[in-house]
Amino acid sequence: MTDIQETKQVKDLVTLGEFVIQKQHEYPGATGDLTQIFGAIKLAAKLVHREINKAGIADITGYAGQENVQGEQQQKLDVYANEKFKAALAARGLVCGLASEEEESFVEFNQPQNVGSKYVVLIDPVDGSSNIDVNVAVGTIFSIYRRVSPEDGPVQLEDFLQKGTEQVAAGYVIFGSSTMLVYTTGNGVNGFTFDPSIGVYYLSHENMRIPERGQIYSVNEGNYVHFPMGVKQYIKYCQERDEASSRPYASRYIGSLVADFHRNLLKGGIFFYPSYAGHPKGKLRLLYECNPIAFIMEQAGGIASDGHRRVLELEPTELHQRTPLFVGSPNMVKKAEDFMRAFA
Ligand code: AHG
Ligand code: MN
Ligand code: MN
Protein backbone atom coordinates (compact mmCIF):
# COMPACT_ATOMS: atom_id res chain seq x y z
CA MET A 1 0.00 0.00 0.00
CA THR A 2 1.68 3.21 -1.15
CA ASP A 3 1.79 5.87 1.52
CA ILE A 4 -0.26 8.92 0.37
CA GLN A 5 2.82 11.13 0.58
CA GLU A 6 4.77 8.88 -1.80
CA THR A 7 2.20 9.19 -4.57
CA LYS A 8 4.04 12.44 -5.38
CA GLN A 9 7.61 12.21 -6.68
CA VAL A 10 9.99 13.51 -4.03
CA LYS A 11 11.01 16.23 -6.54
CA ASP A 12 7.40 17.49 -6.42
CA LEU A 13 7.43 17.86 -2.66
CA VAL A 14 7.97 21.42 -1.49
CA THR A 15 8.81 21.94 2.17
CA LEU A 16 7.41 24.86 4.17
CA GLY A 17 10.88 26.39 4.42
CA GLU A 18 11.45 26.23 0.64
CA PHE A 19 7.97 27.63 -0.02
CA VAL A 20 8.37 30.64 2.29
CA ILE A 21 11.73 31.45 0.67
CA GLN A 22 10.22 31.05 -2.82
CA LYS A 23 7.33 33.35 -1.92
CA GLN A 24 9.51 36.01 -0.37
CA HIS A 25 11.44 36.30 -3.66
CA GLU A 26 8.09 37.00 -5.38
CA TYR A 27 7.30 39.99 -3.16
CA PRO A 28 9.55 43.05 -3.19
CA GLY A 29 10.56 44.20 0.21
CA ALA A 30 10.00 40.76 1.73
CA THR A 31 12.81 39.93 4.06
CA GLY A 32 13.98 36.67 5.58
CA ASP A 33 12.45 37.73 8.89
CA LEU A 34 9.19 35.85 8.44
CA THR A 35 11.13 32.79 7.33
CA GLN A 36 12.92 32.78 10.67
CA ILE A 37 9.76 33.44 12.68
CA PHE A 38 8.00 30.59 10.86
CA GLY A 39 11.02 28.44 11.66
CA ALA A 40 10.41 29.01 15.36
CA ILE A 41 6.70 28.24 14.99
CA LYS A 42 7.43 25.04 13.05
CA LEU A 43 9.86 23.90 15.75
CA ALA A 44 7.51 24.58 18.68
CA ALA A 45 4.64 22.90 16.79
CA LYS A 46 6.79 19.76 16.34
CA LEU A 47 7.30 19.64 20.11
CA VAL A 48 3.57 20.06 20.78
CA HIS A 49 2.81 17.42 18.11
CA ARG A 50 5.11 15.00 19.93
CA GLU A 51 3.45 15.61 23.32
CA ILE A 52 -0.08 15.37 21.92
CA ASN A 53 0.74 12.11 20.19
CA LYS A 54 1.76 10.52 23.45
CA ALA A 55 -0.91 12.30 25.53
CA GLY A 56 -2.44 9.03 26.62
CA ILE A 57 0.88 7.76 27.91
CA ALA A 58 2.81 10.79 29.11
CA ASP A 59 1.70 12.97 31.96
CA ILE A 60 0.54 15.74 29.60
CA THR A 61 -3.23 15.41 29.81
CA GLY A 62 -5.45 16.81 32.49
CA TYR A 63 -5.45 20.03 34.44
CA ALA A 64 -2.33 21.90 35.44
CA GLY A 65 -3.96 22.78 38.74
CA GLN A 66 -3.97 26.52 38.02
CA GLU A 67 -6.17 29.05 36.24
CA ASN A 68 -5.22 31.40 33.43
CA VAL A 69 -6.13 35.06 33.28
CA GLN A 70 -9.47 34.08 31.75
CA GLY A 71 -10.30 32.22 34.93
CA GLU A 72 -10.20 29.00 32.93
CA GLN A 73 -8.55 25.85 34.22
CA GLN A 74 -5.24 25.52 32.39
CA GLN A 75 -4.54 22.15 30.86
CA LYS A 76 -0.99 20.84 31.24
CA LEU A 77 -0.62 21.06 27.48
CA ASP A 78 -1.67 24.75 27.52
CA VAL A 79 1.25 25.49 29.85
CA TYR A 80 3.69 23.24 27.98
CA ALA A 81 2.81 24.68 24.56
CA ASN A 82 2.92 28.26 25.84
CA GLU A 83 6.43 27.76 27.19
CA LYS A 84 7.71 26.10 24.00
CA PHE A 85 6.34 28.76 21.63
CA LYS A 86 7.67 31.53 23.90
CA ALA A 87 11.16 29.99 24.07
CA ALA A 88 11.36 29.22 20.33
CA LEU A 89 10.24 32.73 19.33
CA ALA A 90 12.53 34.51 21.82
CA ALA A 91 15.53 32.49 20.63
CA ARG A 92 15.11 33.65 17.00
CA GLY A 93 15.83 37.27 17.90
CA LEU A 94 13.33 38.86 15.48
CA VAL A 95 10.46 39.12 17.94
CA CYS A 96 10.44 41.75 20.68
CA GLY A 97 7.39 40.49 22.54
CA LEU A 98 4.55 37.97 22.76
CA ALA A 99 0.96 38.05 23.98
CA SER A 100 -0.75 34.77 24.80
CA GLU A 101 -4.06 33.44 26.03
CA GLU A 102 -2.01 31.89 28.84
CA GLU A 103 -0.26 35.14 29.90
CA GLU A 104 -2.05 37.91 31.83
CA SER A 105 0.04 40.66 30.21
CA PHE A 106 2.35 40.73 27.20
CA VAL A 107 5.82 39.24 27.61
CA GLU A 108 8.81 41.40 26.65
CA PHE A 109 11.69 39.55 24.99
CA ASN A 110 14.74 41.44 26.19
CA GLN A 111 17.55 38.96 25.60
CA PRO A 112 20.44 40.53 23.63
CA GLN A 113 19.24 38.97 20.38
CA ASN A 114 15.81 40.61 20.75
CA VAL A 115 16.92 44.21 21.20
CA GLY A 116 15.76 46.29 18.23
CA SER A 117 13.69 43.46 16.73
CA LYS A 118 10.56 44.58 14.96
CA TYR A 119 7.82 41.93 15.26
CA VAL A 120 5.34 40.90 17.91
CA VAL A 121 3.48 37.58 18.01
CA LEU A 122 0.08 36.85 19.59
CA ILE A 123 -0.82 33.25 20.22
CA ASP A 124 -3.41 30.81 21.44
CA PRO A 125 -0.97 28.01 22.29
CA VAL A 126 -3.62 25.28 22.45
CA ASP A 127 -7.06 25.99 21.06
CA GLY A 128 -9.78 23.54 22.03
CA SER A 129 -7.75 22.31 24.99
CA SER A 130 -10.81 20.83 26.69
CA ASN A 131 -10.70 18.23 23.91
CA ILE A 132 -7.18 16.97 24.64
CA ASP A 133 -8.28 14.29 27.11
CA VAL A 134 -10.89 12.91 24.73
CA ASN A 135 -8.51 12.63 21.77
CA VAL A 136 -10.27 15.23 19.62
CA ALA A 137 -8.36 17.59 17.30
CA VAL A 138 -6.89 20.71 18.89
CA GLY A 139 -4.78 23.52 17.42
CA THR A 140 -2.47 26.48 17.87
CA ILE A 141 -3.38 29.91 16.44
CA PHE A 142 -0.84 32.70 15.80
CA SER A 143 -0.85 36.29 14.57
CA ILE A 144 2.20 38.40 13.63
CA TYR A 145 2.47 42.21 13.51
CA ARG A 146 5.25 44.70 12.97
CA ARG A 147 5.72 46.71 16.16
CA VAL A 148 4.55 50.36 16.07
CA SER A 149 6.53 51.66 19.09
CA PRO A 150 10.11 52.96 18.65
CA GLU A 151 12.38 50.01 17.82
CA ASP A 152 15.09 51.22 20.19
CA GLY A 153 12.74 51.07 23.16
CA PRO A 154 10.89 48.33 25.03
CA VAL A 155 7.87 46.72 23.42
CA GLN A 156 4.61 48.47 24.38
CA LEU A 157 0.98 47.42 24.79
CA GLU A 158 0.14 49.43 21.64
CA ASP A 159 2.27 47.00 19.63
CA PHE A 160 -0.28 44.28 20.45
CA LEU A 161 -3.48 46.35 20.28
CA GLN A 162 -3.44 46.74 16.51
CA LYS A 163 -6.38 46.19 14.17
CA GLY A 164 -6.47 42.85 12.38
CA THR A 165 -5.92 44.62 9.07
CA GLU A 166 -2.35 45.35 10.22
CA GLN A 167 -1.32 41.69 10.55
CA VAL A 168 1.73 40.74 8.44
CA ALA A 169 1.02 37.02 8.82
CA ALA A 170 -1.40 34.65 10.56
CA GLY A 171 -1.84 30.93 10.74
CA TYR A 172 -2.78 27.88 12.70
CA VAL A 173 -1.49 24.40 13.36
CA ILE A 174 -4.14 21.68 13.59
CA PHE A 175 -3.18 18.55 15.51
CA GLY A 176 -5.70 16.12 14.06
CA SER A 177 -5.56 12.86 12.10
CA SER A 178 -2.46 14.55 10.68
CA THR A 179 -0.69 17.70 11.83
CA MET A 180 -0.99 20.60 9.39
CA LEU A 181 0.27 24.17 9.39
CA VAL A 182 -1.92 26.64 7.44
CA TYR A 183 -0.84 30.28 7.02
CA THR A 184 -1.18 33.50 5.06
CA THR A 185 1.07 36.54 4.64
CA GLY A 186 -1.64 38.35 2.69
CA ASN A 187 -0.98 36.59 -0.62
CA GLY A 188 -3.34 33.63 -0.36
CA VAL A 189 -3.53 30.67 2.02
CA ASN A 190 -1.35 27.56 1.86
CA GLY A 191 -1.39 24.35 3.92
CA PHE A 192 1.50 22.07 4.85
CA THR A 193 1.23 18.55 6.21
CA PHE A 194 3.79 17.43 8.78
CA ASP A 195 5.65 14.18 8.10
CA PRO A 196 6.80 13.12 11.58
CA SER A 197 8.98 10.34 10.20
CA ILE A 198 11.44 12.95 8.92
CA GLY A 199 10.20 16.05 10.77
CA VAL A 200 9.31 18.04 7.64
CA TYR A 201 6.19 20.03 6.64
CA TYR A 202 5.29 19.44 2.96
CA LEU A 203 3.06 21.69 0.83
CA SER A 204 -0.15 19.67 0.58
CA HIS A 205 -2.89 22.31 0.09
CA GLU A 206 -1.75 25.09 -2.26
CA ASN A 207 -3.82 28.28 -2.59
CA MET A 208 -6.68 27.15 -0.32
CA ARG A 209 -10.07 28.69 -1.18
CA ILE A 210 -13.31 28.21 0.75
CA PRO A 211 -16.27 27.09 -1.42
CA GLU A 212 -18.43 30.14 -2.20
CA ARG A 213 -21.58 28.35 -1.04
CA GLY A 214 -21.50 26.11 2.01
CA GLN A 215 -23.92 23.57 3.49
CA ILE A 216 -22.49 23.07 6.98
CA TYR A 217 -23.32 25.21 9.99
CA SER A 218 -21.25 25.03 13.19
CA VAL A 219 -22.56 26.50 16.43
CA ASN A 220 -22.97 25.28 20.03
CA GLU A 221 -26.74 24.86 19.94
CA GLY A 222 -26.66 24.18 23.66
CA ASN A 223 -26.63 27.97 24.04
CA TYR A 224 -29.73 28.38 21.83
CA VAL A 225 -32.01 29.75 24.55
CA HIS A 226 -29.45 32.48 25.28
CA PHE A 227 -28.84 33.58 21.67
CA PRO A 228 -30.06 36.89 20.21
CA MET A 229 -33.26 36.52 18.14
CA GLY A 230 -31.34 37.03 14.86
CA VAL A 231 -29.13 34.03 15.64
CA LYS A 232 -32.12 31.89 16.61
CA GLN A 233 -33.87 32.78 13.35
CA TYR A 234 -30.73 31.99 11.33
CA ILE A 235 -30.38 28.58 12.98
CA LYS A 236 -34.04 27.85 12.12
CA TYR A 237 -33.29 28.97 8.54
CA CYS A 238 -30.42 26.44 8.38
CA GLN A 239 -32.80 23.70 9.54
CA GLU A 240 -35.69 24.45 7.13
CA ARG A 241 -36.31 22.25 4.07
CA ASP A 242 -35.55 24.09 0.82
CA GLU A 243 -34.04 22.03 -1.97
CA ALA A 244 -33.11 25.04 -4.08
CA SER A 245 -30.67 26.19 -1.42
CA SER A 246 -29.70 22.64 -0.33
CA ARG A 247 -31.31 23.07 3.08
CA PRO A 248 -31.51 21.73 5.72
CA TYR A 249 -27.76 22.20 6.14
CA ALA A 250 -25.63 19.69 8.02
CA SER A 251 -24.77 20.55 11.62
CA ARG A 252 -21.17 19.89 12.66
CA TYR A 253 -19.59 21.14 15.91
CA ILE A 254 -16.29 19.84 17.28
CA GLY A 255 -15.69 22.41 20.03
CA SER A 256 -12.20 23.28 18.81
CA LEU A 257 -12.33 26.50 16.77
CA VAL A 258 -9.33 25.44 14.67
CA ALA A 259 -10.91 22.07 13.80
CA ASP A 260 -14.35 23.50 12.99
CA PHE A 261 -12.71 26.29 10.97
CA HIS A 262 -10.37 23.96 9.06
CA ARG A 263 -13.23 21.62 8.05
CA ASN A 264 -15.33 24.56 6.81
CA LEU A 265 -12.34 26.04 4.95
CA LEU A 266 -11.99 22.78 3.01
CA LYS A 267 -15.68 21.91 2.58
CA GLY A 268 -17.51 25.23 2.85
CA GLY A 269 -19.70 26.29 5.74
CA ILE A 270 -20.18 28.79 8.55
CA PHE A 271 -18.86 28.74 12.10
CA PHE A 272 -20.44 31.15 14.54
CA TYR A 273 -19.91 31.85 18.23
CA PRO A 274 -22.42 34.63 18.98
CA SER A 275 -22.98 36.73 22.05
CA TYR A 276 -25.19 34.93 24.57
CA ALA A 277 -26.77 35.67 27.95
CA GLY A 278 -24.17 37.10 30.30
CA HIS A 279 -21.57 37.11 27.51
CA PRO A 280 -22.39 40.16 25.31
CA LYS A 281 -19.08 39.72 23.48
CA GLY A 282 -19.33 35.95 23.13
CA LYS A 283 -16.42 33.71 24.14
CA LEU A 284 -13.69 33.91 21.50
CA ARG A 285 -10.78 36.31 21.89
CA LEU A 286 -10.26 38.99 19.23
CA LEU A 287 -6.47 39.25 19.15
CA TYR A 288 -5.28 35.63 19.12
CA GLU A 289 -8.30 33.70 17.87
CA CYS A 290 -10.64 35.85 15.75
CA ASN A 291 -8.20 38.22 13.98
CA PRO A 292 -5.84 35.49 12.68
CA ILE A 293 -8.81 33.29 11.73
CA ALA A 294 -10.46 36.25 9.96
CA PHE A 295 -7.27 37.14 8.04
CA ILE A 296 -6.95 33.55 6.80
CA MET A 297 -10.64 33.33 5.89
CA GLU A 298 -10.63 36.57 3.90
CA GLN A 299 -7.47 35.47 2.09
CA ALA A 300 -9.28 32.21 1.20
CA GLY A 301 -12.27 34.11 -0.26
CA GLY A 302 -14.56 33.98 2.78
CA ILE A 303 -16.01 36.50 5.24
CA ALA A 304 -15.43 37.07 8.97
CA SER A 305 -17.65 39.43 10.96
CA ASP A 306 -18.96 39.98 14.46
CA GLY A 307 -22.46 39.71 13.00
CA HIS A 308 -22.45 43.34 11.92
CA ARG A 309 -18.87 44.53 11.27
CA ARG A 310 -15.73 43.11 9.62
CA VAL A 311 -13.64 41.47 12.37
CA LEU A 312 -10.38 42.84 10.97
CA GLU A 313 -11.67 46.42 11.39
CA LEU A 314 -12.52 46.03 15.09
CA GLU A 315 -10.49 48.42 17.27
CA PRO A 316 -8.74 46.48 20.07
CA THR A 317 -8.71 48.05 23.56
CA GLU A 318 -7.40 45.18 25.68
CA LEU A 319 -5.35 42.01 25.17
CA HIS A 320 -8.00 39.44 26.11
CA GLN A 321 -11.09 41.15 24.79
CA ARG A 322 -13.71 38.93 23.21
CA THR A 323 -15.91 39.33 20.14
CA PRO A 324 -18.79 37.43 18.60
CA LEU A 325 -17.58 35.63 15.45
CA PHE A 326 -19.37 34.60 12.23
CA VAL A 327 -16.87 33.17 9.74
CA GLY A 328 -17.07 31.12 6.53
CA SER A 329 -18.58 30.92 3.05
CA PRO A 330 -19.77 34.32 1.83
CA ASN A 331 -23.37 33.25 1.10
CA MET A 332 -23.80 31.83 4.59
CA VAL A 333 -22.20 34.67 6.58
CA LYS A 334 -24.15 37.28 4.59
CA LYS A 335 -27.42 35.44 5.30
CA ALA A 336 -26.58 35.28 9.02
CA GLU A 337 -25.83 39.02 8.99
CA ASP A 338 -29.20 39.66 7.29
CA PHE A 339 -30.96 37.92 10.18
CA MET A 340 -28.84 39.79 12.74
CA ARG A 341 -29.82 43.09 11.08
CA ALA A 342 -33.49 42.19 10.75
CA PHE A 343 -33.81 41.28 14.43
CA ALA A 344 -31.34 43.79 15.91
P1 AHG B 1 -9.41 27.49 24.12
O1 AHG B 1 -9.25 26.03 24.31
O2 AHG B 1 -8.19 28.14 23.50
O3 AHG B 1 -9.90 28.21 25.35
O4 AHG B 1 -10.54 27.71 23.00
C1 AHG B 1 -11.74 27.04 23.12
C2 AHG B 1 -12.76 27.74 22.27
C3 AHG B 1 -12.74 27.33 20.81
O5 AHG B 1 -11.70 26.48 20.49
C4 AHG B 1 -14.05 26.63 20.60
O6 AHG B 1 -14.65 27.00 19.38
C5 AHG B 1 -14.90 27.12 21.75
O7 AHG B 1 -14.01 27.39 22.82
C6 AHG B 1 -15.90 26.09 22.19
O8 AHG B 1 -16.65 26.69 23.23
P2 AHG B 1 -17.92 25.91 23.81
O9 AHG B 1 -17.40 24.69 24.48
O10 AHG B 1 -18.54 26.92 24.75
O11 AHG B 1 -18.81 25.60 22.63
MN1 MN C 1 -8.84 29.05 21.69
MN1 MN D 1 -6.26 28.09 24.22
Side-chain angles (χ1 to χ4, degrees):
M1 174 64 180
T2 305
D3 174 83
I4 294 172
Q5 293 282 4
E6 287 156 8
T7 52
K8 282 186 174 180
Q9 297 302 318
V10 173
K11 68 176 175 54
D12 299 336
L13 294 177
V14 177
T15 67
L16 173 54
E18 290 159 348
F19 187 82
V20 174
I21 289 168
Q22 271 173 21
K23 288 298 175 189
Q24 80 182 32
H25 287 325
E26 290 173 19
Y27 301 104
T31 67
D33 292 356
L34 283 183
T35 307
Q36 290 203 59
I37 296 174
F38 276 111
I41 292 171
K42 281 166 28 182
L43 172 62
K46 288 180 188 179
L47 296 173
V48 174
H49 165 92
R50 182 186 63 187
E51 293 309 305
I52 284 180
N53 281 279
K54 60 183 184 183
I57 316 157
D59 183 24
I60 196 69
T61 57
Y63 289 112
Q66 61 213 36
E67 284 188 352
N68 63 13
V69 62
Q70 337 271 340
E72 293 163 348
Q73 275 297 323
Q74 282 182 314
Q75 299 274 354
K76 288 176 189 165
L77 196 69
D78 283 326
V79 176
Y80 176 86
N82 191 52
E83 291 310 314
K84 294 307 174 194
F85 277 99
K86 232 181 347 181
L89 287 163
R92 290 295 161 113
L94 292 161
V95 176
C96 57
L98 173 132
S100 166
E101 178 193 5
E102 307 308 331
E103 302 279 350
E104 180 154 6
S105 178
F106 63 84
V107 176
E108 182 184 356
F109 290 166
N110 48 23
Q111 297 86 325
Q113 70 270 20
N114 304 107
V115 175
S117 48
K118 60 185 177 193
Y119 296 95
V120 294
V121 177
L122 298 97
I123 193 162
D124 178 356
V126 180
D127 172 69
S129 42
S130 61
N131 280 323
I132 295 165
D133 291 3
V134 294
N135 213 3
V136 168
V138 297
T140 296
I141 310 172
F142 61 89
S143 172
I144 304 173
Y145 290 85
R146 253 188 215 86
R147 72 182 296 181
V148 292
S149 61
E151 288 188 12
D152 57 357
V155 67
Q156 305 288 339
L157 181 58
E158 64 176 330
D159 294 313
F160 299 95
L161 299 184
Q162 299 185 56
K163 289 199 319 188
T165 48
E166 301 309 303
Q167 292 176 94
V168 294
Y172 61 84
V173 185
I174 178 166
F175 303 99
S177 45
S178 65
T179 290
M180 271 190 72
L181 189 151
V182 176
Y183 83 91
T184 183
T185 56
N187 302 295
V189 178
N190 293 284
F192 299 79
T193 299
F194 181 55
D195 179 343
S197 65
I198 51 174
V200 174
Y201 296 82
Y202 282 119
L203 178 63
S204 53
H205 297 66
E206 188 162 9
N207 191 26
M208 298 174 83
R209 303 288 293 173
I210 187 167
E212 171 72 21
R213 308 185 66 76
Q215 293 157 25
I216 294 172
Y217 74 101
S218 309
V219 61
N220 182 343
E221 296 195 54
N223 292 327
Y224 182 85
V225 291
H226 303 301
F227 284 151
M229 183 50 73
V231 171
K232 290 180 176 176
Q233 293 302 316
Y234 178 64
I235 291 173
K236 289 303 162 207
Y237 171 84
C238 292
Q239 296 170 340
E240 286 167 351
R241 180 196 296 271
D242 175 78
E243 288 187 20
S245 56
S246 309
R247 287 180 288 144
Y249 295 145
S251 171
R252 294 286 184 275
Y253 193 74
I254 298 169
S256 295
L257 168 62
V258 171
D260 280 313
F261 177 86
H262 185 71
R263 179 207 50 245
N264 290 355
L265 175 60
L266 292 174
K267 292 178 178 276
I270 182 172
F271 170 92
F272 46 120
Y273 207 109
S275 62
Y276 58 106
H279 300 78
K281 292 289 186 186
K283 173 181 184 181
L284 300 177
R285 279 56 58 115
L286 173 61
L287 291 179
Y288 43 80
E289 288 175 312
C290 300
N291 267 341
I293 284 296
F295 186 17
I296 295 163
M297 181 48 77
E298 290 195 0
Q299 284 291 311
I303 292 181
S305 87
D306 66 358
H308 303 285
R309 296 163 299 169
R310 186 181 175 214
V311 167
L312 294 181
E313 291 289 354
L314 298 178
E315 200 66 55
T317 54
E318 52 189 82
L319 277 186
H320 301 291
Q321 74 184 70
R322 300 172 194 264
T323 175
L325 176 67
F326 295 72
V327 59
S329 295
N331 75 311
M332 300 184 87
V333 176
K334 284 177 185 160
K335 178 58 80 175
E337 289 176 334
D338 290 345
F339 279 101
M340 293 296 284
R341 211 174 3 262
F343 291 91

